[in-house]
Amino acid sequence: MFTKVRTRIAPSPTGMMHLGTARTAIYCWAVARHFGGEFLLRIEDTDRERSTPEAVQVILDAMKWLNLDYDNTEVVYQMDRLGRYREVVNELLAKGLAYKCYATKEELEQMREDQKARGEKPRYDGRWRPENCVGKAIPEGVTPVIRFRNPDDGIVTWNDGVYGPISIANSELDDLVIMRGDGIPTYNFAVVIDDWDMQISHVIRGADHINNTPRQINIYRAIGAEVPTFAHLPLIHGEDGQKLSKRHGTVSVLAYEELGFLPEAIFNYLARLGWAHGDAEKFSREELAEWFKLEDCSRSAAQFSMDKLKWLNHEYIKEADNHRLADLIRHRLEKRSANVTNNEHLVEIIGLLKDRASTLEDLADECMLFYRDPVITEEMIREQLESNEGKSLAAVKRFLEEARNLEWKRENILATIKAIMKELKCKMPHIAFPIRVLVTGEKHTPSIDITLEILGKDRVISQIEKGLKGW
Ligand code: GLU
């Protein structure tokens, strides 16, 4: 019996972390935290072509960004465990539960062609099973692979944590290659040895692995290991109902950081995608850990919705600390050629604008109001100053006079504008619109007093003077 709940995420380093892998990791994390168990990370790096240190780093970065804290300080790498796989293979060979297969690639292709031609399902025919090759000469120059001797009869059944009971007849399965000629194990073998050695009690992964599970259960039995609970998660679909892929846009978790999403929004969104707790849409990591049950996961594919993700991100941006947002926005502003010298200003600007932004990129765009040189045409100025029967022009002129002697604080700016409104019997838009346009080039900005205060007295005065030239 497993003494503890242990889950793991076992990504292959392919250069990115897919949203689906991240969601699986979140559920593995939640199960471990729910039961006070452990959540482990293993890197399945046996694909030598794709596995580079950079690709591994991407996984570590994505885990960190999502704050998926795993419990093993030493991450497990499959390539460090080749000796262990070899040891188990040797035991299986000694027990007759595995055997060497010398069939060449060409021979196996021919076998499959023949099977197809006969209308049969292509499968390895057991030609190198010991009983089938008595007296057969071992071909020269062929490095054998090792195959697992799958039981011929019986049915493999497991009670899937999400899908419930699933059964597959052994007659459907063939003898799987478990170790290649170069001594590198295949996925289905390495995963079992690793999960066994790491004492994983719950194997939670994508539904694309359901077909692998009966094969893996047979290997567990052959090595005399306790079979864990398996739970498979339906795939994520794009908005068109097809499996989520690059075709749908961004599928890499870290790319969402660049697009301006907060990690807690992605965490929450992915957790909710395929699992529900009543009608809760926005919840914390702690709530997820408390509420999460595998049996509450949906059995049908979840559909990714950018609109919903943006809504959630907006909710998290609204409540995020302004200093933190400033740290996350600064490089985005610099990319837009802003010169951010005063952090407190930026913090204030963010406080002013964040309620309207659904991503950090939107927020950066909005913040540029305070950092760019405005583009203001003569027509824009004329449109403002000629309107309202000269009242706007008079109001702006009066404001300029007063502004020069004003202690530059929002309450003083507002009081001055109100006094001018009274004096000239005009309304707020008569004065606020032209000032906005003259100073920023925009008709709509956050409230005029705060906007002007943040822009600073010198800049406001010089912009108005420039705009009023010739009027
Ligand atoms: N490396 C496999 C994958 O990324 C892991 C599957 C599993 O969790 O067993 O799909």
Side-chain angles (χ1 to χ4, degrees):
M1 281 295 281
F2 293 105
T3 54
K4 214 177 192 179
V5 167
R6 272 201 194 84
T7 61
R8 60 26 172 206
I9 184 74
S12 309
T14 60
M16 69 149 168
M17 191 189 252
H18 192 282
L19 288 176
T21 308
R23 184 189 60 166
T24 304
I26 291 168
Y27 291 171
C28 290
W29 175 91
V31 168
R33 297 292 170 260
H34 182 86
F35 290 106
E38 287 179 0
F39 166 58
L40 308 178
L41 171 63
R42 177 172 75 234
I43 305 284
E44 304 214 322
D45 56 352
T46 53
D47 180 343
R48 300 317 296 145
E49 280 179 17
R50 298 174 99 179
S51 304
T52 58
E54 294 76 29
V56 170
Q57 194 56 46
V58 168
I59 293 172
L60 300 179
D61 291 347
M63 297 288 286
K64 192 163 172 207
W65 186 63
L66 286 174
N67 196 7
L68 278 166
D69 49 322
Y70 40 89
D71 293 296
N72 45 342
T73 40
E74 296 254 333
V75 176
V76 176
Y77 291 85
Q78 289 190 322
M79 284 309 281
D80 292 344
R81 292 176 41 78
L82 297 184
R84 171 69 178 140
Y85 305 130
R86 169 54 69 188
E87 182 181 290
V88 182
V89 161
N90 287 341
E91 279 168 28
L92 291 175
L93 285 169
K95 287 184 187 155
L97 292 166
Y99 59 92
K100 292 180 180 168
C101 169
Y102 292 87
T104 60
K105 225 170 116 190
E106 296 73 30
E107 196 185 332
L108 291 174
E109 257 160 40
Q110 187 60 51
M111 176 191 79
R112 281 189 215 104
E113 286 307 313
D114 294 347
Q115 287 168 335
K116 273 196 239 161
R118 292 197 298 270
E120 294 167 12
K121 209 169 119 188
R123 68 205 306 273
Y124 178 71
D125 60 4
R127 61 183 61 191
W128 281 96
R129 276 190 171 197
E131 67 270 27
N132 295 340
C133 56
V134 182
K136 191 158 150 184
I138 290 178
E140 260 179 55
V142 179
T143 315
V145 298
I146 312 293
R147 286 187 186 268
F148 174 66
R149 191 185 173 105
N150 198 76
D152 295 319
D153 309 310
I155 288 175
V156 187
T157 299
W158 77 95
N159 190 11
D160 196 275
V162 173
Y163 286 94
I166 300 182
S167 296
I168 297 202
N170 272 320
S171 56
E172 294 286 315
L173 309 173
D174 59 3
D175 290 350
L176 188 77
V177 174
I178 55 175
M179 189 168 275
R180 300 189 191 94
D182 58 6
I184 306 233
T186 56
Y187 158 71
N188 274 305
F189 180 67
V191 75
V192 172
I193 309 310
D194 293 339
D195 286 340
W196 178 31
D197 285 352
M198 291 165 78
Q199 283 291 291
I200 300 301
S201 62
H202 292 69
V203 171
I204 303 163
R205 59 187 173 204
D208 47 337
H209 285 290
I210 287 182
N211 287 339
N212 290 322
T213 300
R215 297 175 177 283
Q216 293 176 15
I217 291 175
N218 283 333
I219 298 176
Y220 273 98
R221 294 200 174 128
I223 61 177
E226 186 179 352
V227 179
T229 298
F230 288 95
H232 293 90
L233 303 164
L235 299 185
I236 302 175
H237 282 175
E239 310 205 25
D240 60 355
Q242 301 294 310
K243 183 180 162 190
L244 190 69
S245 68
K246 281 187 189 153
R247 210 159 39 82
H248 294 97
T250 312
V251 289
S252 145
V253 171
L254 285 177
Y256 282 85
E257 181 182 19
E258 257 182 77
L259 290 172
F261 290 87
L262 292 175
E264 60 269 37
I266 296 285
F267 189 102
N268 186 157
Y269 179 74
L270 290 176
R272 175 66 187 79
L273 196 62
W275 167 86
H277 179 77
D279 51 12
E281 293 293 346
K282 183 165 175 282
F283 42 82
S284 66
R285 296 155 54 83
E286 291 70 29
E287 282 167 328
L288 175 72
E290 191 188 322
W291 298 337
F292 190 82
K293 285 199 193 85
L294 282 167
E295 54 271 32
D296 291 336
C297 289
S298 165
R299 290 182 186 181
S300 45
Q303 201 162 65
F304 184 84
S305 157
M306 193 53 147
D307 285 347
K308 192 167 169 194
L309 173 58
K310 281 190 173 171
W311 166 78
L312 204 49
N313 202 44
H314 171 67
E315 295 298 312
Y316 279 104
I317 287 179
K318 277 200 295 194
E319 69 181 35
D321 174 75
N322 294 345
H323 282 90
R324 174 182 169 219
L325 291 175
D327 288 342
L328 296 173
I329 286 281
R330 198 171 302 107
H331 73 279
R332 298 174 198 270
L333 294 174
E334 280 156 8
K335 252 202 218 145
R336 290 163 171 79
S337 309
N339 183 12
V340 185
T341 46
N342 186 332
N343 194 55
E344 284 312 307
H345 255 174
L346 176 57
V347 169
E348 209 169 350
I349 291 168
I350 285 170
L352 197 58
L353 296 171
K354 68 175 180 179
D355 283 2
R356 315 202 288 199
S358 60
T359 67
L360 299 175
E361 283 293 298
D362 289 352
L363 185 54
D365 284 340
E366 297 263 338
C367 287
M368 284 307 290
L369 178 74
F370 295 92
Y371 292 100
R372 66 171 163 248
D373 291 329
V375 180
I376 306 164
T377 63
E378 300 243 335
E379 285 95 270
M380 284 159 70
I381 297 176
R382 186 171 317 114
E383 190 200 328
Q384 290 303 320
L385 298 183
E386 279 181 351
S387 60
N388 308 313
E389 292 129 19
K391 274 191 183 167
S392 286
L393 176 59
V396 175
K397 282 185 170 169
R398 283 288 296 119
F399 182 77
L400 180 61
E401 281 165 26
E402 294 295 328
R404 290 190 173 114
N405 302 316
L406 206 59
E407 191 193 345
W408 207 248
K409 280 197 184 146
R410 62 190 67 177
E411 53 275 25
N412 298 346
I413 296 171
L414 189 61
T416 304
I417 291 175
K418 286 195 168 157
I420 296 172
M421 281 160 55
K422 213 166 158 193
E423 183 187 318
L424 298 180
K425 297 195 176 44
C426 63
K427 296 208 163 71
M428 179 61 99
H430 298 154
I431 173 161
F433 274 118
I435 293 180
R436 277 195 176 102
V437 170
L438 263 57
V439 175
T440 68
E442 306 283 340
K443 277 191 205 165
H444 301 283
T445 70
S447 68
I448 184 84
D449 49 336
I450 306 178
T451 305
L452 297 185
E453 183 195 83
I454 294 177
L455 282 166
K457 186 170 175 171
D458 293 349
R459 189 157 157 203
V460 170
I461 289 180
S462 80
Q463 279 295 126
I464 297 180
E465 280 173 347
K466 217 158 108 188
L468 283 180
K469 232 177 235 158
W471 284 84

XYZ file of all heavy atoms in Angstrom, residues 231-293:
510
model
N -5.740 8.377 -13.540
C -6.828 9.304 -13.861
C -6.437 10.034 -15.134
O -5.328 10.566 -15.234
C -7.035 10.293 -12.720
N -7.336 10.022 -16.097
C -7.034 10.657 -17.387
C -7.939 11.865 -17.611
O -9.128 11.809 -17.312
C -7.191 9.635 -18.510
C -6.147 8.557 -18.428
N -6.342 7.396 -17.712
C -4.891 8.489 -18.924
C -5.237 6.646 -17.799
N -4.342 7.294 -18.525
N -7.323 12.899 -18.119
C -8.058 14.158 -18.285
C -8.396 14.388 -19.747
O -7.506 14.285 -20.602
C -7.194 15.313 -17.790
C -6.736 15.162 -16.342
C -5.586 16.107 -16.051
C -7.907 15.427 -15.406
N -9.646 14.700 -20.025
C -10.013 14.972 -21.416
C -9.164 16.115 -21.980
O -8.700 16.974 -21.226
C -11.473 15.401 -21.340
C -11.924 15.100 -19.978
C -10.743 14.935 -19.098
N -8.981 16.109 -23.243
C -8.127 17.120 -23.872
C -8.794 18.493 -23.825
O -9.981 18.623 -23.543
C -7.865 16.737 -25.325
C -7.156 15.400 -25.514
C -6.843 15.184 -26.983
C -5.875 15.321 -24.694
N -8.000 19.481 -24.140
C -8.537 20.836 -24.261
C -8.750 21.097 -25.753
O -7.887 20.785 -26.572
C -7.549 21.876 -23.686
C -7.246 21.561 -22.219
C -8.101 23.284 -23.842
C -6.196 22.465 -21.590
N -9.906 21.638 -26.061
C -10.195 21.986 -27.454
C -10.110 23.488 -27.664
O -10.300 24.263 -26.729
C -11.608 21.512 -27.826
C -11.685 20.042 -28.094
N -12.854 19.387 -28.347
C -10.704 19.102 -28.159
C -12.602 18.099 -28.561
N -11.301 17.902 -28.434
N -9.867 23.855 -28.894
C -9.928 25.273 -29.251
C -11.383 25.685 -29.427
O -12.290 24.858 -29.289
N -11.607 26.955 -29.761
C -12.986 27.442 -29.839
C -13.753 26.785 -30.987
O -14.970 26.831 -31.029
C -13.002 28.970 -29.922
C -12.130 29.523 -28.808
C -12.427 30.931 -28.328
O -13.558 31.392 -28.475
O -11.495 31.556 -27.794
N -13.024 26.167 -31.916
C -13.696 25.497 -33.034
C -13.973 24.025 -32.739
O -14.401 23.275 -33.595
C -12.828 25.606 -34.294
C -11.453 24.954 -34.098
O -11.159 24.519 -32.968
O -10.689 24.890 -35.073
N -13.727 23.588 -31.488
C -14.039 22.203 -31.117
C -12.952 21.208 -31.506
O -13.096 20.013 -31.288
N -11.852 21.670 -32.081
C -10.744 20.769 -32.433
C -9.699 20.806 -31.324
O -9.608 21.799 -30.597
C -10.085 21.226 -33.739
C -11.024 21.284 -34.925
C -11.527 19.906 -35.320
O -10.751 18.984 -35.488
N -12.841 19.766 -35.439
N -8.904 19.724 -31.245
C -7.845 19.652 -30.227
C -6.979 20.916 -30.255
O -6.548 21.352 -31.325
C -6.992 18.405 -30.545
C -5.901 18.158 -29.559
C -5.113 16.908 -29.937
C -3.790 16.959 -29.208
N -2.847 15.961 -29.639
N -6.766 21.479 -29.087
C -6.031 22.751 -29.011
C -4.595 22.568 -29.534
O -3.835 21.771 -29.016
C -5.989 23.235 -27.563
C -5.468 24.652 -27.339
C -6.434 25.688 -27.886
C -5.217 24.917 -25.865
N -4.263 23.319 -30.546
C -2.909 23.204 -31.108
C -2.463 24.586 -31.564
O -3.223 25.550 -31.478
C -2.918 22.245 -32.294
O -3.643 22.835 -33.355
N -1.250 24.623 -32.072
C -0.677 25.904 -32.493
C -1.574 26.627 -33.495
O -1.562 27.851 -33.580
C 0.696 25.667 -33.133
C 1.764 25.452 -32.093
C 3.124 25.400 -32.729
C 4.155 24.965 -31.706
N 5.289 24.299 -32.308
N -2.321 25.831 -34.240
C -3.260 26.379 -35.214
C -4.214 27.393 -34.557
O -4.688 28.315 -35.186
C -4.069 25.194 -35.745
C -4.575 25.270 -37.124
C -4.886 23.857 -37.640
N -5.475 22.982 -36.639
C -6.751 22.962 -36.315
N -7.585 23.784 -36.889
N -7.200 22.115 -35.410
N -4.511 27.154 -33.284
C -5.469 28.030 -32.592
C -4.820 29.273 -32.011
O -5.475 30.057 -31.341
C -6.142 27.267 -31.441
C -7.004 26.150 -31.913
N -6.566 24.849 -31.960
C -8.272 26.140 -32.370
C -7.543 24.081 -32.422
N -8.576 24.835 -32.684
N -3.515 29.403 -32.231
C -2.834 30.555 -31.630
C -1.864 30.054 -30.585
O -1.186 29.056 -30.788
N -1.880 30.738 -29.461
C -0.842 30.467 -28.475
C -1.199 29.274 -27.596
O -2.255 29.262 -26.971
C -0.671 31.717 -27.606
O -0.581 32.825 -28.491
C 0.553 31.643 -26.758
N -0.310 28.290 -27.537
C -0.556 27.144 -26.651
C 0.551 27.001 -25.610
O 0.477 26.147 -24.737
C -0.702 25.808 -27.424
C -1.993 25.780 -28.191
C 0.482 25.580 -28.353
N 1.567 27.836 -25.710
C 2.670 27.737 -24.764
C 2.382 28.617 -23.543
O 2.045 29.796 -23.681
C 3.958 28.201 -25.458
O 4.792 28.860 -24.545
N 2.497 28.016 -22.371
C 2.165 28.731 -21.138
C 2.940 30.040 -21.010
O 2.360 31.092 -20.735
C 2.497 27.845 -19.917
C 2.381 28.625 -18.628
C 1.587 26.658 -19.890
N 4.245 29.961 -21.239
C 5.055 31.156 -20.997
C 4.752 32.272 -21.996
O 4.979 33.455 -21.703
C 6.545 30.816 -21.005
C 7.033 30.097 -19.739
C 8.496 29.736 -19.865
C 6.802 30.933 -18.483
N 4.212 31.901 -23.145
C 3.847 32.947 -24.106
C 2.733 33.824 -23.525
O 2.609 35.003 -23.879
C 3.406 32.323 -25.417
N 1.942 33.255 -22.621
C 0.869 34.058 -22.005
C 1.438 35.116 -21.068
O 0.791 36.128 -20.816
C -0.147 33.150 -21.295
C -1.069 32.536 -22.312
C -0.719 31.377 -22.984
C -2.248 33.175 -22.673
C -1.513 30.842 -23.974
C -3.062 32.648 -23.657
C -2.689 31.488 -24.301
O -3.484 30.985 -25.295
N 2.621 34.840 -20.555
C 3.278 35.864 -19.731
C 3.574 37.068 -20.628
O 3.277 38.210 -20.284
C 4.575 35.304 -19.141
C 5.287 36.310 -18.264
C 6.600 35.780 -17.700
O 7.148 34.808 -18.243
O 7.077 36.369 -16.723
N 4.113 36.778 -21.786
C 4.437 37.862 -22.715
C 3.199 38.598 -23.180
O 3.215 39.804 -23.387
C 5.122 37.257 -23.940
C 6.613 37.459 -23.937
C 7.212 36.892 -25.194
O 7.103 37.537 -26.254
O 7.755 35.789 -25.074
N 2.110 37.855 -23.360
C 0.873 38.485 -23.820
C 0.228 39.347 -22.735
O -0.758 40.020 -22.980
C -0.127 37.421 -24.276
C 0.214 36.690 -25.564
C -0.761 35.530 -25.794
C 0.186 37.645 -26.754
N 0.769 39.262 -21.528
C 0.279 40.144 -20.468
C -0.734 39.521 -19.532
O -1.585 40.217 -18.982
N -0.625 38.210 -19.348
C -1.520 37.554 -18.385
C -0.791 37.344 -17.061
O 0.418 37.095 -17.041
C -2.016 36.221 -18.941
C -2.982 36.410 -20.077
C -2.526 36.555 -21.381
C -4.346 36.511 -19.830
C -3.413 36.777 -22.427
C -5.241 36.733 -20.859
C -4.779 36.862 -22.165
N -1.529 37.446 -15.997
C -0.954 37.208 -14.675
C -0.972 35.700 -14.403
O -1.929 35.017 -14.780
C -1.766 37.937 -13.596
C -1.685 39.463 -13.629
C -2.636 40.061 -12.589
C -0.262 39.932 -13.366
N 0.064 35.194 -13.746
C 0.117 33.738 -13.538
C -1.075 33.213 -12.741
O -1.568 32.120 -13.012
C 1.431 33.529 -12.786
C 1.856 34.863 -12.293
C 1.249 35.876 -13.212
N -1.560 34.021 -11.789
C -2.691 33.524 -10.995
C -3.963 33.424 -11.843
O -4.836 32.599 -11.568
C -2.916 34.369 -9.735
C -3.225 35.837 -9.951
C -1.972 36.716 -9.964
O -0.930 36.273 -10.491
O -2.048 37.862 -9.464
N -4.050 34.262 -12.882
C -5.217 34.187 -13.774
C -5.141 32.928 -14.628
O -6.129 32.217 -14.809
C -5.290 35.423 -14.661
N -3.944 32.639 -15.141
C -3.770 31.428 -15.953
C -4.012 30.196 -15.076
O -4.704 29.258 -15.471
C -2.343 31.379 -16.555
C -2.130 32.539 -17.524
C -2.072 30.047 -17.226
C -2.815 32.402 -18.856
N -3.476 30.217 -13.881
C -3.645 29.101 -12.940
C -5.141 28.850 -12.703
O -5.644 27.741 -12.846
C -2.943 29.456 -11.626
C -2.857 28.331 -10.637
C -1.673 27.623 -10.477
C -3.940 27.973 -9.850
C -1.572 26.583 -9.562
C -3.868 26.937 -8.932
C -2.665 26.241 -8.791
N -5.839 29.900 -12.361
C -7.272 29.803 -12.066
C -8.050 29.349 -13.311
O -8.885 28.447 -13.259
C -7.761 31.171 -11.602
C -9.199 31.215 -11.128
O -9.572 32.108 -10.366
N -10.036 30.305 -11.569
N -7.702 29.960 -14.455
C -8.434 29.638 -15.684
C -8.252 28.166 -16.047
O -9.220 27.459 -16.335
C -7.968 30.539 -16.835
C -8.702 30.204 -18.099
C -10.034 30.580 -18.260
C -8.109 29.429 -19.089
C -10.744 30.214 -19.380
C -8.810 29.051 -20.208
C -10.124 29.445 -20.352
O -10.838 29.057 -21.454
N -7.001 27.707 -16.010
C -6.738 26.311 -16.395
C -7.378 25.347 -15.393
O -7.900 24.299 -15.770
C -5.227 26.059 -16.490
C -4.521 26.750 -17.660
C -3.015 26.488 -17.587
C -5.068 26.279 -18.999
N -7.339 25.711 -14.117
C -7.942 24.835 -13.101
C -9.444 24.664 -13.367
O -9.989 23.569 -13.252
C -7.711 25.408 -11.711
N -10.076 25.747 -13.769
C -11.530 25.713 -13.990
C -11.895 25.028 -15.313
O -13.028 24.597 -15.516
C -12.030 27.170 -13.965
C -13.477 27.417 -14.275
C -14.402 26.827 -13.229
N -15.779 26.950 -13.680
C -16.329 26.134 -14.577
N -15.639 25.133 -15.082
N -17.572 26.305 -14.945
N -10.888 24.927 -16.198
C -11.116 24.352 -17.526
C -11.146 22.833 -17.405
O -10.115 22.176 -17.422
C -9.956 24.810 -18.420
C -10.076 24.681 -19.932
C -11.216 25.512 -20.473
C -8.763 25.131 -20.573
N -12.320 22.272 -17.257
C -12.376 20.818 -17.138
C -12.657 20.342 -15.725
O -12.663 19.140 -15.456
N -12.878 21.281 -14.837
C -13.230 20.912 -13.457
C -14.095 22.045 -12.897
O -13.886 23.201 -13.259
C -11.965 20.768 -12.601
C -12.227 20.694 -11.128
C -12.523 19.583 -10.402
C -12.235 21.790 -10.198
N -12.706 19.909 -9.087
C -12.543 21.255 -8.927
C -12.029 23.167 -10.307
C -12.643 22.042 -7.778
C -12.131 23.957 -9.165
C -12.425 23.386 -7.925
N -15.052 21.697 -12.078
C -15.896 22.762 -11.519
C -16.208 22.469 -10.061
O -16.256 21.311 -9.629
C -17.191 22.879 -12.313
N -16.397 23.538 -9.331
C -16.859 23.433 -7.953
C -18.042 24.382 -7.850
O -17.851 25.601 -7.763
C -15.741 23.843 -6.999
C -16.134 23.782 -5.560
N -16.226 22.603 -4.857
C -16.484 24.762 -4.699
C -16.610 22.854 -3.621
N -16.771 24.149 -3.503
N -19.250 23.821 -7.937
C -20.440 24.672 -7.966
C -20.305 25.674 -9.096
O -19.894 25.318 -10.195
N -20.608 26.941 -8.796
C -20.479 27.922 -9.874
C -19.273 28.838 -9.657
O -19.218 29.942 -10.196
C -21.784 28.717 -10.066
C -22.272 29.292 -8.756
O -21.485 29.272 -7.779
O -23.419 29.763 -8.702
N -18.315 28.358 -8.880
C -17.131 29.188 -8.616
C -16.304 29.367 -9.891
O -15.942 28.385 -10.540
C -16.279 28.544 -7.531
N -16.054 30.605 -10.255
C -15.218 30.889 -11.432
C -13.862 31.431 -11.012
O -12.860 31.159 -11.642
C -15.905 31.927 -12.346
C -17.173 31.440 -13.008
C -16.930 30.330 -14.036
O -15.781 30.106 -14.433
O -17.917 29.665 -14.406
N -13.878 32.224 -9.945
C -12.622 32.824 -9.506
C -12.325 32.270 -8.116
O -13.164 32.378 -7.213
C -12.791 34.348 -9.458
C -11.524 35.083 -9.085
C -11.664 36.573 -9.407
C -10.446 37.324 -8.911
N -10.491 37.556 -7.470
N -11.180 31.640 -7.994
C -10.847 31.045 -6.699
C -9.338 31.030 -6.521
O -8.586 31.140 -7.492
C -11.417 29.620 -6.589
C -11.250 28.800 -7.835
C -10.050 28.161 -8.100
C -12.286 28.691 -8.763
C -9.887 27.417 -9.257
C -12.121 27.953 -9.940
C -10.918 27.314 -10.179
N -8.914 30.880 -5.303
C -7.479 30.920 -5.007
C -6.888 29.507 -5.121
O -7.617 28.519 -5.178
C -7.262 31.452 -3.592
O -7.789 30.512 -2.672
N -5.566 29.455 -5.097
C -4.882 28.160 -5.105
C -5.301 27.327 -3.899
O -5.486 26.126 -3.980
C -3.374 28.382 -5.006
C -2.759 29.104 -6.139
C -1.470 29.795 -5.727
N -0.506 28.900 -5.101
C 0.328 28.112 -5.785
N 0.316 28.129 -7.094
N 1.173 27.340 -5.164
N -5.425 28.003 -2.763
C -5.770 27.289 -1.524
C -7.171 26.705 -1.640
O -7.424 25.580 -1.200
C -5.701 28.237 -0.317
C -4.297 28.695 0.040
C -3.668 29.656 -0.970
O -4.420 30.403 -1.629
O -2.430 29.639 -1.136
N -8.088 27.487 -2.226
C -9.456 26.972 -2.397
C -9.445 25.767 -3.335
O -10.123 24.768 -3.090
C -10.377 28.074 -2.937
C -10.800 29.036 -1.853
C -11.447 30.303 -2.385
O -11.077 30.774 -3.487
O -12.305 30.848 -1.681
N -8.663 25.869 -4.401
C -8.586 24.729 -5.337
C -8.110 23.486 -4.584
O -8.703 22.414 -4.700
C -7.634 25.046 -6.498
C -7.416 23.868 -7.452
C -8.668 23.610 -8.291
C -6.216 24.079 -8.355
N -7.042 23.649 -3.808
C -6.490 22.495 -3.086
C -7.546 21.916 -2.134
O -7.647 20.703 -1.970
C -5.240 22.905 -2.322
N -8.330 22.769 -1.552
C -9.344 22.295 -0.602
C -10.491 21.580 -1.335
O -10.967 20.546 -0.902
C -9.878 23.506 0.160
C -10.727 23.154 1.354
C -11.371 24.401 1.923
O -10.724 25.467 1.941
O -12.552 24.313 2.325
N -10.897 22.138 -2.453
C -12.096 21.629 -3.138
C -11.835 20.501 -4.119
O -12.745 19.752 -4.448
C -12.751 22.759 -3.946
C -13.231 23.923 -3.158
C -13.559 23.952 -1.836
C -13.432 25.254 -3.666
N -13.957 25.214 -1.486
C -13.899 26.033 -2.586
C -13.292 25.863 -4.912
C -14.206 27.386 -2.712
C -13.602 27.208 -5.045
C -14.057 27.958 -3.954
N -10.611 20.400 -4.617
C -10.395 19.553 -5.796
C -10.629 18.070 -5.537
O -10.112 17.490 -4.598
C -8.977 19.744 -6.344
C -8.792 19.073 -7.679
C -9.217 19.703 -8.839
C -8.248 17.806 -7.769
C -9.078 19.081 -10.077
C -8.109 17.172 -8.999
C -8.520 17.811 -10.149
N -11.438 17.477 -6.421
C -11.618 16.021 -6.416
C -11.582 15.567 -7.863
O -12.225 16.167 -8.723
C -12.998 15.658 -5.852
C -13.134 15.782 -4.366
C -14.353 14.960 -3.915
C -14.737 15.292 -2.508
N -15.617 16.464 -2.408
